[in-house]
Amino acid sequence: MSFRTTSTSVDYVEDVSPGSGALPPRAWYASSDARSLSLNGSWRFRLSPTVDAEDDSFAEPGFDADGWAEVAVPGHWVLQGDGAFGAPIYTNHLYPFPVDPPRVPTENPTGDHLRFFDLPEGWPALSEGGAVLRFDGVESCARVWLNGTDIGEFKGSRLPHEFAVGHLLKPSGNVLAVRVHQWSAGSYLEDQDQWWLPGIFRDVTLLHRPAGSVLDFFVHASYDHVGGLGTLRVDSDVDGRVTVPALDIDVATGEPVTVAVEPWTAETPRLYDGELVTEGERVPLRIGFRTVVLEDGLIKVNGRAILFKGVNRHEWHPERGRALDLETMREDVLLMKRHNLNAVRTSHYPPHPAFLDLCDEYGLWVIDECDLETHGFTEQNWRDNPVDDERWTPALLDRAARMVERDKNHPSVVMWSLGNECGTGRGLTAMAEWIHGRDGSRLVHYEGDWDCRDTDVYSRMYADHAETERIGQGLDGGTQKRRGLPFIQCEYGHAMGNGPGGLADYQRLFEAHDRIQGGFIWEWIDHGVTHAELGFAYGGDFGEELHDGNFVCDGLVFPDRRPSPGLVEFKKVIEPVRIEGDGVAGTVRVRNAHDFADLSSLAFEWSYQVDGETVESGPLAVPALAAGESAEVKLPQPPAGGSGGEAQWTVRALLAEDTGWGRKGHQVAWAQLPVLERPLPSVAPSDRPTASEKLITLGPASFDVRTGALKTIGGVDVTGLRLDVWRAPTDNDAGAAWQPDLRYGLLWRKYGLHRMRHRLDAVEAGEDALTVRTRVAPAAWEIGLNTVYRWTSDGTRLKLTVSVTPDGDWTVPLPRLGIRFGLSSADAVQWYGGGPGEGYPDTKSASMLGRWHASVDELQTPYVRPQENGARPDVRWAELGGLRIDGDPEFWFTARRWTSEQLDAAEHLTDLEAGDTVWVNLDHGQMGIGSQSCGPGALPQYHLLARPAEFSFVFSATR
Ligand code: IPT
């Protein structure tokens, strides 16, 4: 005898079909006059461990939910309830459940949600028209009842689903019941690299649908750049009229009209307000005229090739996960605009629709990506991949349609992306065919298909510089179709931890080759989760049995949206005005690197610095160059005075007036042009080291007589001064297993560079110098660094010259090369050099030469997983803790309240405990950063090779 006790009513969870009961997808819009009711807010909530632990009687009217908890909608239950509702799980590409599609585990957290509502005052009589219930995003599968009637179920977490509910509504006492399952067949299609976060995480809205109201409509607004004409045609399922007052347009739906317009571009986001009016509804339109084509093997908008300076944006908030409010979305867009970005790939799903409104309004090119990734199938060589199995094709087509129909009226969207990391398959081809057929006015993108069978652009991720250059030169081969297509990097510059490095080198390639139309940094924001003990949590911090650690923190902004140095660097690298010139001759060459905008919105300014202090500044007249044009501009006569010091011009391009995204005076681009070189510090050795029982004295300094170790400089205690090569490996030093480049972060540890020992060979007090000879080397290996410290003084100042000679067969570059020492009391730091933020050999484009000051705490960059950070490059001199240090040559300056070893050992920022000593690093060299946490390592020219080196510092006491 066999029997089953499980109800068959939960079969939909593991059904590959997209769902049942929902209305066909359509454009997303906010009506001007039809009523709507937000059902966001506090909902009653019950969590069950399995799909059928509880029956569905909770959906019945009259069900008593008194004992239930509450959750906020939009929200994810695992981020609410202080851990009572489970926890987030982070995996990059591994499915956190057995791969047996479409089956999911019995342990399937299921959240029953209840919302009680009355129709508000003034809601039209129920006989007038209908009503639609809209869910903008639910992860991953939901079944819905209204007033006890089962109205359907759906999957497709980041896509809208609407249900006709007019016949079920009551004036008061409505009960909306939603059962949400964390895992479903849909989870196999949603294997994006992010936290798994179940819940109703976007808005729930009840929309009144008056008789004769708008159903779906498609705004076609093209631009003919030759004639300067826009053609508008609004196709609408329900006939009506279209008006655009500023253009005197008043036409029937379906009827084209051509008038002179200003086009929409990401740089000049001109939108025209219009209205679609049907018998029963008025719908506001924000129309942007632009034409996207593939022509001459290039992506052209309004007749011109564009260059993406983009970023991949996941939706993220450190407390609310992917439930973003409008202000957070706006903050993203404003931050992007203020950092010169012009493009977003909505990795890896369509964002909240309000984000696209903001892109239209402020101006960003968008690659709108479908909610689709099956990356985990790579572990089985893509066998059973849903995108190549026709049983799943309806679900794929449903996802494509829900994206395209929802977002088709946004001028900012210039490409549709099929999804991410799905391998290849017939399902993707079906999606591409459907999209091409539905919307011929945009291009189709997908990275996984290197033959470009289905796509209009050759797209790759993390191609290294050399390959990128070959592609730019058209030497990469590939199918005939691919050879005729433009190239973009949909992901590059992996912004995990410190970095990414090498962006300037990429940008040079992007700008040198027409075929390369730019790229998108991976990624916008660190997905750190606010955590009471850890600061920001990452993978593993919630006890997940499988996880990918801090690979989820790889953004250009920290989880709280503070810009990381990577964003500041990217801003400089992609600045839309190029300023070059000859400081000595006093000439500047300004090039407008925009694709469309002229320079009329910018004001230019010159200033002149001597030893980092500005002596004079003034406006610089630069013509309002058209996009692509350049001009030579003459600088004024250099100001008198301040001679003898290092001198330079600084030229800046600033917003001339307030704009929608930046204030007047906001800096867009800048350059510095050297005029006079820095006189190097010199100390004439005149003092003679003198030894007493315990100490050797030389000028202002004292040393241990036995070891030659520095003890004081002019009354300032100095501890542990010695050669130092270790840095807490960055995520990019550690590298990713799949990257072919050597993983130096691991090799450094193998060769013991974090445990170097210092053998004392000699302490020699000579005529005018104290010389200390050492060999610095790790246990077990024959490699070492013969290191000589030579101290001299003119009586008041103390000079240290360090000579390093590598010994043995060094097969790895050094992490850093310099000295470190401890100061017992130091807080305020002043320096003349690169700043204000950190910079490393391949991340210092944005480093500006000047006089800067910061506290020791402010010098730290708070990478979510602690690692090397905070070095200021090109420092001429620095002052802290009663000492001034002048470098010969310039040096890298770092100061922290912990050692590199402590920094290395920390897993979270909260592990770093400030000690009494401030540890200072003065480095002659630093290894480059690169992008190897997912992409290529530092380019060879940024490697710090172990080879003979000599460098000096002059110390003087400042108090
Ligand atoms: C690539 C993914 O597309 C992206 O989602 C993210 O995981 C990124 O890597 C790394 O952070 S896939 C990678 C295997 C190249």
Side-chain angles (χ1 to χ4, degrees):
M1 190 181 97
S2 78
F3 60 91
R4 59 185 292 166
T5 54
T6 44
S7 127
T8 52
S9 65
V10 295
D11 287 352
Y12 64 92
V13 174
E14 296 182 322
D15 187 338
V16 297
S17 86
S20 65
L23 292 165
R26 63 180 185 127
W28 196 100
Y29 63 88
S31 182
S32 303
D33 53 358
R35 293 291 302 255
S36 68
L37 174 65
S38 167
L39 297 174
N40 293 349
S42 183
W43 290 43
R44 301 312 289 263
F45 179 73
R46 173 181 70 187
L47 183 63
S48 314
T50 63
V51 290
D52 55 1
E54 301 283 353
D55 63 25
D56 51 21
S57 59
F58 79 104
E60 297 296 332
F63 178 84
D64 179 6
D66 264 2
W68 285 31
E70 295 194 3
V71 288
V73 170
H76 306 277
W77 69 70
V78 292
L79 296 180
Q80 304 185 51
D82 284 328
F85 307 144
I89 300 171
Y90 167 57
T91 57
N92 165 13
H93 77 283
L94 296 177
Y95 289 103
F97 48 78
V99 177
D100 181 23
R103 303 295 311 277
V104 294
T106 301
E107 295 157 78
N108 188 354
T110 291
D112 290 331
H113 296 69
L114 279 173
R115 176 74 153 89
F116 308 98
F117 64 94
D118 299 336
L119 295 180
E121 197 82 20
W123 190 273
L126 292 173
S127 54
E128 287 174 34
V132 160
L133 180 64
R134 184 174 69 204
F135 293 89
D136 285 319
V138 182
E139 181 169 330
S140 80
C141 170
R143 184 167 176 191
V144 187
W145 296 261
L146 184 62
N147 293 330
T149 301
D150 179 357
I151 58 172
E153 26 77 25
F154 62 90
K155 307 179 192 87
S157 298
R158 297 104 200 174
L159 293 163
H161 293 84
E162 290 184 320
F163 297 88
V165 295
H167 59 295
L168 299 173
L169 283 176
K170 301 187 289 187
S172 61
N174 293 287
V175 184
L176 174 59
V178 187
R179 172 164 279 187
V180 182
H181 309 286
Q182 172 153 23
W183 310 119
S184 68
S187 304
Y188 283 97
L189 305 181
E190 296 174 5
D191 191 25
Q192 293 94 344
D193 175 10
Q194 58 178 349
W195 295 97
W196 298 88
L197 295 176
I200 306 174
F201 73 98
R202 286 188 191 154
D203 311 288
V204 183
T205 316
L206 182 70
L207 306 164
H208 181 242
R209 301 283 65 221
S213 59
V214 169
L215 272 174
D216 189 18
F217 63 96
F218 198 160
V219 176
H220 302 277
S222 59
Y223 181 69
D224 161 15
H225 65 277
V226 179
L229 297 174
T231 297
L232 175 68
R233 191 187 81 231
V234 179
D235 293 336
S236 173
D237 287 357
V238 173
D239 289 343
R241 290 202 74 76
V242 176
T243 55
V244 186
L247 296 173
D248 274 335
I249 290 176
D250 182 351
V251 290
T253 53
E255 198 179 294
V257 52
T258 300
V259 292
V261 298
E262 290 170 40
W264 187 96
T265 73
E267 295 167 5
T268 56
R270 177 69 164 102
L271 290 175
Y272 290 92
D273 286 318
E275 202 171 37
L276 165 61
V277 184
T278 63
E279 189 196 329
E281 188 175 20
R282 314 177 80 87
V283 172
L285 305 176
R286 305 209 78 193
I287 302 161
F289 292 88
R290 93 275 177 283
T291 292
V292 184
V293 291
L294 183 68
E295 191 184 84
D296 311 323
L298 297 173
I299 305 161
K300 292 190 184 173
V301 180
N302 303 340
R304 295 194 202 169
I306 58 173
L307 187 65
F308 292 117
K309 299 166 174 179
V311 71
N312 283 276
R313 175 181 178 270
H314 266 290
E315 295 183 306
W316 188 249
H317 185 281
E319 277 139 39
R320 297 191 298 274
R322 289 188 284 276
L324 295 198
D325 58 296
L326 183 62
E327 279 327 297
T328 303
M329 296 184 229
R330 191 188 305 276
E331 199 180 333
D332 279 350
V333 171
L334 292 177
L335 275 167
M336 290 177 191
K337 292 293 289 185
R338 289 174 189 157
H339 289 87
N340 294 334
L341 278 82
N342 72 2
V344 179
R345 172 177 177 231
T346 70
S347 56
H348 299 306
Y349 42 81
H352 189 290
F355 179 75
L356 298 177
D357 289 336
L358 295 167
C359 294
D360 294 343
E361 181 181 333
Y362 292 98
L364 289 167
W365 308 118
V366 175
I367 300 183
D368 195 358
E369 189 150 276
C370 198
D371 190 6
L372 179 62
E373 173 157 345
T374 63
H375 203 165
F377 285 86
T378 186
E379 294 296 322
Q380 52 196 56
N381 286 317
W382 299 103
R383 193 168 17 78
D384 296 334
N385 185 0
V387 305
D388 198 23
D389 175 341
E390 57 216 17
R391 285 171 298 177
W392 292 84
T393 304
L396 305 185
L397 290 173
D398 179 73
R399 284 169 189 250
R402 286 186 188 281
M403 168 179 72
V404 171
E405 301 301 1
R406 190 194 77 166
D407 296 341
K408 59 185 177 285
N409 294 326
H410 290 283
S412 54
V413 175
V414 292
M415 280 199 239
W416 302 113
S417 177
L418 304 180
N420 184 60
E421 292 282 1
C422 294
T424 54
R426 289 162 290 165
L428 294 168
T429 302
M431 290 171 81
E433 279 170 4
W434 183 86
I435 294 174
H436 276 128
R438 175 62 178 143
D439 180 15
S441 72
R442 294 180 174 94
L443 307 181
V444 170
H445 169 271
Y446 174 62
E447 184 275 344
D449 172 15
W450 291 13
D451 292 339
C452 304
R453 272 178 312 183
D454 305 324
T455 58
D456 302 314
V457 44
Y458 176 35
S459 175
R460 289 277 303 283
M461 43 176 76
Y462 310 103
D464 64 23
H465 296 79
E467 185 182 9
T468 302
E469 179 156 40
R470 279 198 304 280
I471 295 171
Q473 294 164 335
L475 301 176
D476 59 310
T479 58
Q480 195 193 340
K481 179 169 177 211
R482 184 175 103 184
R483 291 200 298 273
L485 293 182
F487 175 74
I488 63 168
Q489 292 237 39
C490 67
E491 295 177 24
Y492 79 111
H494 198 249
M496 186 178 181
N498 187 334
L503 296 182
D505 308 273
Y506 271 119
Q507 194 63 27
R508 270 192 290 278
L509 296 172
F510 294 177
E511 295 184 12
H513 301 284
D514 289 346
R515 185 188 185 194
I516 309 180
Q517 295 199 261
F520 296 77
I521 298 288
W522 186 267
E523 66 175 304
W524 175 241
I525 187 168
D526 288 342
H527 310 206
V529 179
T530 301
H531 190 286
E533 286 86 52
L534 303 174
F536 291 116
Y538 50 78
D541 290 336
F542 297 99
E544 303 105 292
E545 66 178 16
L546 276 184
H547 68 82
D548 288 289
N550 67 315
F551 202 62
V552 78
C553 291
D554 50 3
L556 292 176
V557 299
F558 294 109
D560 56 10
R561 291 188 156 68
R562 270 184 297 161
S564 84
L567 181 59
V568 178
E569 173 75 1
F570 192 46
K571 173 186 177 179
K572 177 73 176 103
V573 163
I574 58 175
E575 59 188 9
V577 182
R578 300 293 182 193
I579 304 167
E580 286 158 4
D582 180 339
V584 178
T587 51
V588 184
R589 188 173 179 80
V590 178
R591 183 167 65 85
N592 180 355
H594 286 100
D595 292 324
F596 299 94
D598 68 22
L599 294 189
S600 57
S601 66
L602 300 178
F604 289 76
E605 191 186 275
W606 62 266
S607 58
Y608 191 82
Q609 288 84 33
V610 176
D611 291 335
E613 300 267 34
T614 296
V615 265
E616 223 177 298
S617 63
L620 185 69
V622 174
L625 302 170
E629 284 184 354
S630 323
E632 293 273 346
V633 185
K634 194 80 193 129
L635 288 163
Q637 276 303 308
S643 58
E646 181 175 20
Q648 64 174 5
W649 298 99
T650 300
V651 176
R652 303 166 194 262
L654 313 169
L655 283 183
E657 299 297 336
D658 290 356
T659 69
W661 50 265
R663 290 243 168 249
K664 176 177 176 174
H666 164 87
Q667 182 169 294
V668 172
W670 58 275
Q672 293 183 314
L673 312 175
V675 179
L676 292 171
E677 276 182 28
R678 175 173 79 118
L680 291 172
S682 73
V683 171
S686 56
D687 220 52
R688 184 191 179 114
T690 37
S692 65
E693 196 192 331
K694 288 204 158 118
L695 296 177
I696 298 173
T697 52
L698 175 67
S702 67
F703 301 82
D704 185 287
V705 75
R706 209 172 41 80
T707 63
L710 178 69
K711 297 187 75 92
T712 59
I713 301 174
V716 176
D717 291 336
V718 181
T719 52
L721 186 147
R722 63 183 202 195
L723 190 83
D724 193 37
V725 297
W726 184 239
R727 75 181 185 192
T730 65
D731 294 315
N732 284 315
D733 288 338
W738 59 83
Q739 253 295 323
D741 297 348
L742 290 175
R743 301 175 69 183
Y744 293 121
L746 309 189
L747 290 173
W748 291 338
R749 244 184 254 282
K750 171 180 169 188
Y751 289 117
L753 303 192
H754 59 311
R755 48 176 172 79
M756 298 290 261
R757 295 303 165 115
H758 297 246
R759 185 183 76 202
L760 181 61
D761 291 339
V763 179
E764 300 163 359
E767 271 300 298
D768 58 2
L770 171 69
T771 305
V772 180
R773 299 183 190 279
T774 67
R775 185 172 189 274
V776 182
W781 300 100
E782 49 86 48
I783 50 171
L785 300 168
N786 291 328
T787 304
V788 179
Y789 308 84
R790 184 182 147 88
W791 300 93
T792 55
S793 175
D794 59 7
T796 47
R797 294 181 304 158
L798 177 73
K799 180 171 179 177
L800 166 64
T801 300
V802 183
S803 311
V804 180
T805 313
D807 184 19
D809 186 13
W810 281 86
T811 55
V812 288
L814 298 169
R816 63 164 12 122
L817 179 68
I819 57 164
R820 85 167 194 195
F821 54 88
L823 294 176
S824 53
S825 72
D827 189 21
V829 181
Q830 276 202 64
W831 75 99
Y832 170 40
E838 72 181 27
Y840 289 81
D842 53 349
T843 65
K844 68 186 185 80
S845 307
S847 170
M848 201 181 224
L849 179 59
R851 292 254 191 132
W852 308 103
H853 55 87
S855 67
V856 170
D857 290 339
E858 286 165 351
L859 289 175
Q860 315 309 311
T861 307
Y863 294 116
V864 172
R865 188 191 71 81
Q867 53 195 276
E868 166 66 30
N869 74 84
R872 276 22 183 211
D874 306 315
V875 174
R876 278 70 169 146
W877 57 256
E879 266 182 33
L880 82 165
L883 287 184
R884 172 173 162 130
I885 306 132
D886 284 81
D888 173 12
E890 293 77 46
F891 56 96
W892 308 80
F893 173 83
T894 315
R896 353 182 131 98
R897 299 192 182 281
W898 34 80
T899 61
S900 298
E901 290 74 10
Q902 288 165 329
L903 185 62
D904 188 11
E907 304 272 358
H908 293 90
L909 286 167
T910 46
D911 295 336
L912 291 169
E913 275 174 48
D916 295 335
T917 303
V918 168
W919 290 98
V920 178
N921 276 86
L922 310 178
D923 290 317
H924 180 59
Q926 278 270 3
M927 172 71 183
I929 296 292
S931 197
Q932 209 189 339
S933 55
C934 191
L939 288 167
Q941 62 267 37
Y942 304 117
H943 285 204
L944 177 60
L945 300 181
R947 55 180 169 211
E950 190 173 281
F951 46 95
S952 304
F953 305 102
V954 174
F955 296 89
S956 40
T958 56
R959 52 179 189 229

